[in-house]
Amino acid sequence: MLPNVQKLREIVTGKSGDYYYTRNANPTTAAAEAKIAALENGAGAVVTSSGMSATLAAALAVCQAGDEIVSMMDVYGGTSKLFEVVFARLGIKARMVPFKDVRRSRSTAIRKPR
């Protein structure tokens, strides 16, 4: 039980170290993220609930409308659908390449550095 509304505001805005909803953040997830970041010598890490949510988060962190993703055809079916159907609605094009052509496709990939 929270003592007052001000305490809730502090938690929700991240001004306190407390947690209020496990899907937003929790101490176990925070500890895992800190350990992974330390192991990888990274500035931080994000732990997701599934591989698909990790794929979505990673792609949306670097892609926007007008960009293109080049992916192997041999990926998980849900990933193919994400790239070809969902991202198409966001204006992100997906080019699915057979595994045997991956090296060759590197030279034709459009480069848009970020």
Side-chain angles (χ1 to χ4, degrees), residues 29-42:
T29 301
E33 290 169 340
K35 293 280 186 187
I36 292 168
L39 286 169
E40 297 293 331
N41 293 317

Side-chain angles (χ1 to χ4, degrees), residues 44-55:
V46 175
V47 174
T48 63
S49 61
S50 69
M52 283 300 298
S53 60
T55 301

Side-chain angles (χ1 to χ4, degrees), residues 3-65:
N4 54 49
V5 174
Q6 181 58 35
K7 179 63 175 172
L8 177 61
R9 282 190 188 110
E10 290 171 7
I11 294 170
V12 172
T13 59
K15 292 179 181 169
S16 95
D18 296 328
Y19 299 94
Y20 72 100
Y21 185 57
T22 193
R23 287 186 183 174
N24 180 33
N26 69 55
T28 304
T29 301
E33 290 169 340
K35 293 280 186 187
I36 292 168
L39 286 169
E40 297 293 331
N41 293 317
V46 175
V47 174
T48 63
S49 61
S50 69
M52 283 300 298
S53 60
T55 301
L56 175 67
L60 291 180
V62 296
C63 293
Q64 60 188 11

Side-chain angles (χ1 to χ4, degrees), residues 22-103:
T22 193
R23 287 186 183 174
N24 180 33
N26 69 55
T28 304
T29 301
E33 290 169 340
K35 293 280 186 187
I36 292 168
L39 286 169
E40 297 293 331
N41 293 317
V46 175
V47 174
T48 63
S49 61
S50 69
M52 283 300 298
S53 60
T55 301
L56 175 67
L60 291 180
V62 296
C63 293
Q64 60 188 11
D67 287 345
E68 180 178 18
I69 291 175
V70 179
S71 173
M72 290 187 337
M73 285 180 166
D74 309 74
V75 295
Y76 168 64
T79 302
S80 295
K81 187 171 185 173
L82 175 70
F83 288 171
E84 295 179 305
V85 177
V86 177
F87 283 179
R89 293 193 325 238
L90 300 175
I92 301 169
K93 181 181 177 186
R95 183 163 24 130
M96 306 307 279
V97 178
F99 177 74
K100 64 184 174 82
D101 295 335
V102 168
R103 281 205 172 124

